[in-house]
Protein backbone atom coordinates (compact mmCIF):
# COMPACT_ATOMS: atom_id res chain seq x y z
CA UNK A 1 0.00 0.00 0.00
CA UNK A 2 2.72 2.42 1.00
CA UNK A 3 5.06 2.75 -1.90
CA UNK A 4 8.01 4.93 -2.63
CA UNK A 5 6.93 7.93 -4.62
CA UNK A 6 3.98 8.56 -2.35
CA UNK A 7 4.37 11.54 -0.03
CA UNK A 8 2.85 9.48 2.76
CA UNK A 9 5.75 7.07 2.48
CA UNK A 10 8.25 9.81 3.17
CA UNK A 11 6.10 11.31 5.94
CA UNK A 12 5.57 8.04 7.78
CA UNK A 13 9.06 6.63 7.38
CA UNK A 14 11.01 9.89 7.63
CA UNK A 15 12.85 9.14 4.43
CA UNK A 16 14.42 11.67 2.10
CA UNK A 17 11.55 13.71 0.61
CA UNK A 18 13.13 13.79 -2.82
CA UNK A 19 14.33 10.25 -3.54
CA UNK A 20 12.69 8.27 -0.70
CA UNK A 21 15.81 6.10 -0.59
CA UNK A 22 17.08 6.58 2.92
CA UNK A 23 16.14 7.95 6.31
CA UNK A 24 16.69 11.64 7.05
CA UNK A 25 17.39 10.79 10.65
CA UNK A 26 20.57 9.47 12.18
CA UNK A 27 18.54 7.32 14.57
CA UNK A 28 15.26 6.03 13.18
CA UNK A 29 13.70 5.45 16.59
CA UNK A 30 12.16 8.76 17.78
CA UNK A 31 12.10 7.51 21.37
CA UNK A 32 15.85 7.82 21.61
CA UNK A 33 15.19 11.32 22.80
CA UNK A 34 18.74 12.61 22.80
CA UNK A 35 18.87 12.01 19.06
CA UNK A 36 15.34 12.97 18.17
CA UNK A 37 16.38 15.95 16.05
CA UNK A 38 19.67 14.54 14.80
CA UNK A 39 19.41 14.51 11.04
CA UNK A 40 21.86 13.79 8.30
CA UNK A 41 22.98 16.98 6.66
CA UNK A 42 22.09 15.72 3.24
CA UNK A 43 20.84 12.64 1.49
CA UNK A 44 23.46 10.04 0.64
CA UNK A 45 21.58 9.06 -2.49
CA UNK A 46 20.47 12.26 -4.18
CA UNK A 47 22.51 14.80 -2.24
CA UNK A 48 19.45 16.75 -1.22
CA UNK A 49 20.14 19.12 1.69
CA UNK A 50 17.44 18.65 4.29
CA UNK A 51 17.93 22.01 5.89
CA UNK A 52 16.65 24.02 2.94
CA UNK A 53 17.44 27.29 4.71
CA UNK A 54 18.70 28.25 8.18
CA UNK A 55 16.23 27.27 10.89
CA UNK A 56 14.02 25.70 8.26
CA UNK A 57 12.55 23.27 10.74
CA UNK A 58 11.21 25.94 13.05
CA UNK A 59 8.27 26.03 10.67
CA UNK A 60 7.53 22.46 11.63
CA UNK A 61 6.19 23.84 14.90
CA UNK A 62 3.09 25.08 13.08
CA UNK A 63 2.57 21.58 11.77
CA UNK A 64 3.18 19.98 15.14
CA UNK A 65 0.36 22.10 16.52
CA UNK A 66 -2.05 20.63 13.99
CA UNK A 67 -0.68 17.10 14.41
CA UNK A 68 -0.93 17.47 18.20
CA UNK A 69 -4.58 18.50 17.91
CA UNK A 70 -5.23 15.47 15.74
CA UNK A 71 -3.75 13.16 18.38
CA UNK A 72 -5.70 14.95 21.13
CA UNK A 73 -8.96 14.56 19.24
CA UNK A 74 -8.21 10.89 18.65
CA UNK A 75 -7.49 10.42 22.37
CA UNK A 76 -10.70 12.24 23.23
CA UNK A 77 -12.82 10.11 20.91
CA UNK A 78 -11.29 6.86 22.11
CA UNK A 79 -11.48 7.68 25.82
CA UNK A 80 -14.85 9.39 25.82
CA UNK A 81 -16.85 7.56 23.18
CA UNK A 82 -15.30 4.11 23.13
CA UNK A 83 -14.19 3.64 26.74
CA UNK A 84 -16.90 5.79 28.31
CA UNK A 85 -14.48 7.78 30.47
CA UNK A 86 -15.72 10.81 32.40
CA UNK A 87 -14.43 14.32 31.74
CA UNK A 88 -11.50 14.18 34.14
CA UNK A 89 -10.41 10.76 32.93
CA UNK A 90 -10.70 11.94 29.35
CA UNK A 91 -8.53 14.95 30.13
CA UNK A 92 -5.89 12.75 31.73
CA UNK A 93 -6.02 10.41 28.74
CA UNK A 94 -5.39 13.33 26.38
CA UNK A 95 -2.45 14.63 28.40
CA UNK A 96 -0.89 11.17 28.66
CA UNK A 97 -1.38 10.60 24.94
CA UNK A 98 0.30 13.89 24.12
CA UNK A 99 3.28 13.04 26.31
CA UNK A 100 3.56 9.46 25.06
CA UNK A 101 3.37 10.40 21.40
CA UNK A 102 5.38 13.62 21.58
CA UNK A 103 8.47 12.17 19.85
CA UNK A 104 6.33 10.78 17.05
CA UNK A 105 4.43 14.05 16.74
CA UNK A 106 7.68 16.01 16.49
CA UNK A 107 9.07 13.75 13.80
CA UNK A 108 5.82 13.53 11.87
CA UNK A 109 5.54 17.30 11.73
CA UNK A 110 9.10 17.64 10.46
CA UNK A 111 8.36 15.07 7.78
CA UNK A 112 5.13 16.77 6.78
CA UNK A 113 6.78 20.18 6.80
CA UNK A 114 9.62 19.20 4.48
CA UNK A 115 7.23 17.31 2.21
CA UNK A 116 5.21 20.48 1.72
CA UNK A 117 8.23 22.06 0.02
CA UNK A 118 9.94 19.13 -1.63
CA UNK A 119 8.53 16.90 -4.32
CA UNK A 120 9.40 13.32 -5.03
CA UNK A 121 11.72 13.03 -8.00
CA UNK A 122 12.29 9.61 -9.54
CA UNK A 123 15.35 10.74 -11.41
CA UNK A 124 16.91 12.26 -8.28
CA UNK A 125 18.88 9.08 -7.68
CA UNK A 126 21.04 9.67 -10.71
CA UNK A 127 21.59 13.36 -10.06
CA UNK A 128 25.06 14.34 -9.08
CA UNK A 129 24.87 16.51 -5.99
ZN1 LIG B 1 17.50 11.64 -1.32
Amino acid sequence: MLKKGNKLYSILTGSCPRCHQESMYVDKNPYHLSKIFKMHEKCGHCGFKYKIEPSFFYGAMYVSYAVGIAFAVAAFVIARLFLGANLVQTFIAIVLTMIAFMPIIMRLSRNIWINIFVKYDVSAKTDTP
Side-chain angles (χ1 to χ4, degrees):
M1 186 187 84
L2 263 188
K3 279 196 300 194
K4 284 179 181 161
N6 189 322
K7 270 193 190 299
L8 260 183
Y9 177 86
S10 169
I11 288 171
L12 294 178
T13 60
S15 58
C16 169
R18 194 160 77 168
C19 68
H20 292 190
Q21 292 295 315
E22 63 177 50
S23 177
M24 292 190 286
Y25 300 98
V26 174
D27 191 332
K28 274 192 172 185
N29 186 342
Y31 285 93
H32 295 157
L33 291 179
S34 63
K35 291 183 192 155
I36 181 167
F37 291 137
K38 275 241 168 79
M39 301 173 78
H40 296 291
E41 198 189 321
K42 55 186 185 179
C43 174
H45 275 85
C46 68
F48 176 70
K49 271 176 99 177
Y50 299 132
K51 221 175 179 185
I52 295 170
E53 54 192 33
S55 55
F56 170 71
F57 283 107
Y58 279 102
M61 282 193 291
Y62 303 115
V63 182
S64 79
Y65 181 72
V67 176
I69 299 280
F71 273 80
V73 169
F76 174 82
V77 169
I78 290 168
R80 187 81 176 162
L81 303 182
F82 288 101
L83 303 177
N86 64 34
L87 218 65
V88 177
Q89 289 166 333
T90 306
F91 179 73
I92 294 170
I94 290 175
V95 172
L96 289 180
T97 305
M98 296 301 274
I99 295 170
F101 286 99
M102 195 43 93
I104 291 177
I105 294 172
M106 304 302 270
R107 283 254 171 119
L108 267 183
S109 33
R110 280 189 168 216
N111 301 346
I112 292 171
W113 181 246
I114 198 166
N115 268 286
I116 291 174
F117 297 95
V118 184
K119 265 175 131 174
Y120 177 66
D121 184 353
V122 199
S123 58
K125 273 175 282 179
T126 51
D127 277 353
T128 37

